Structures are given as C-alpha cells and as structure tokens.
Amino acid sequence: MESKDVQAVYKKLLDAWNERSAEGMAALFTEDGESIGFDGSQSIGRQEILSHLKPIFEHHPTARFVSKVKDVLFLSPEIALIRAIAGMVPPGQSDINPNVNTHHTLVVVKRGEDWQIQLFQNTPAQFHGRPELVEEMTEELRELIRVSGTM
C-alpha cells in the first residue's frame, strides 16, 4: 500500500479542476462514484458528475485549487481515506480567498491496478465564530503558494 499512489489520484482530481476539465475529473471516479460539492450538490455516477461539472466550467470562471494532504488512512489494502485542506485562488489573482477554504475528503478504491474515487466531499471550512481558525488554515495554504513561487 503506497500513500503516494493514493495521493496521486487526489492530485489528478485537482489538476483536472484547475484545467477546467469536467471529463478529466469524471474519469477519476468509479462508475458509481459520488461527488458532493461545496454547495451541497450531489452527483452520483461518472455521467452525472460530468453533467454537473461541464456547465460550471463552460459558464463560470472557476478559481484554482491549492491544497495540502493532511492524512491518508488505509481502511484495507484496496480502500483508502484521504483528508486534505484546500483554498482557492480566484482568476486573475494571486492570493487565496479565505471565504471558500474547504476540507476535502475522498474515499478511493483500488480496481485492478488503478485507484479510483468512490466519494469526494468538498466541505466549506467556515469555522463559524472562530476566525482565527480560518486565518490559520489560510496561512498554511498561502505557504504552499509562497514555496511554489506563484504568489
């Protein structure tokens, strides 16, 4: 069991988002995989995920994800749980918008030699009444931008 193989699936998911590729994102899911979006919208199955994402990319200037994997837990040799934090950099800007920080949770399953996403949940990290936690998360993500030299 290799954590890097599982994390590579998550990286591909975010790369597909950042490239505005609905097809690329949907292809990473199992046939009956599920995606729960930032707004609570639920898509089940590759085709529904594709149908949900395609108009988003066609009609909205989406922000770029910056993320950090916090934990990978193997539930079995063929099932892993990924927990990550993510921020978004709006188009034309170089800094994270703290209002849309999020927790990402993925359940990935091994099918043959490949890892695929069974569940992706994108939960707002609002930390109601605790602005210091929003700032702490934002700073942790900003550090990734500084290290990569894109801020």
Side-chain angles (χ1 to χ4, degrees):
M1 296 183 292
E2 289 289 329
S3 175
K4 66 178 176 50
D5 295 335
V6 171
Q7 290 185 57
V9 176
Y10 175 58
K11 182 181 181 329
K12 287 178 188 174
L13 181 72
L14 295 188
D15 287 347
W17 173 274
N18 291 342
E19 293 164 8
R20 302 171 50 85
S21 173
E23 295 83 1
M25 286 184 73
L28 295 169
F29 285 80
T30 62
E31 199 59 49
D32 61 345
E34 181 174 346
S35 176
I36 302 174
F38 191 81
D39 66 350
S41 57
Q42 184 177 26
S43 304
I44 299 174
R46 277 190 200 140
Q47 189 55 50
E48 194 172 313
I49 292 167
L50 176 63
S51 296
H52 175 75
L53 292 171
K54 202 167 177 74
I56 292 171
F57 292 137
E58 288 174 353
H59 303 293
H60 303 285
T62 52
R64 178 175 57 88
F65 271 120
V66 175
S67 72
K68 181 177 185 179
V69 172
K70 301 295 272 183
D71 191 30
V72 175
L73 174 66
F74 283 89
L75 305 175
S76 79
E78 292 86 28
I79 302 170
L81 176 71
I82 301 170
R83 288 186 320 100
I85 59 172
M88 299 191 93
V89 178
Q93 297 185 27
S94 60
D95 195 12
I96 291 170
N97 174 0
N99 296 325
V100 291
N101 286 352
T102 185
H103 291 280
H104 284 168
T105 305
L106 289 86
V107 175
V108 294
V109 295
K110 192 166 190 182
R111 301 279 165 92
E113 295 300 310
D114 298 320
W115 287 94
Q116 295 179 309
I117 301 167
Q118 185 65 46
L119 172 68
F120 170 58
Q121 183 159 351
N122 189 2
T123 304
Q126 307 269 311
F127 302 111
H128 298 292
R130 297 173 289 164
E132 69 281 359
L133 295 178
V134 173
E135 187 57 33
E136 185 179 305
M137 179 186 266
T138 302
E139 280 306 311
E140 188 172 353
L141 293 164
R142 278 183 179 137
E143 184 59 30
L144 297 171
I145 295 172
R146 283 192 278 275
V147 168
S148 71
T150 59
M151 185 168 159

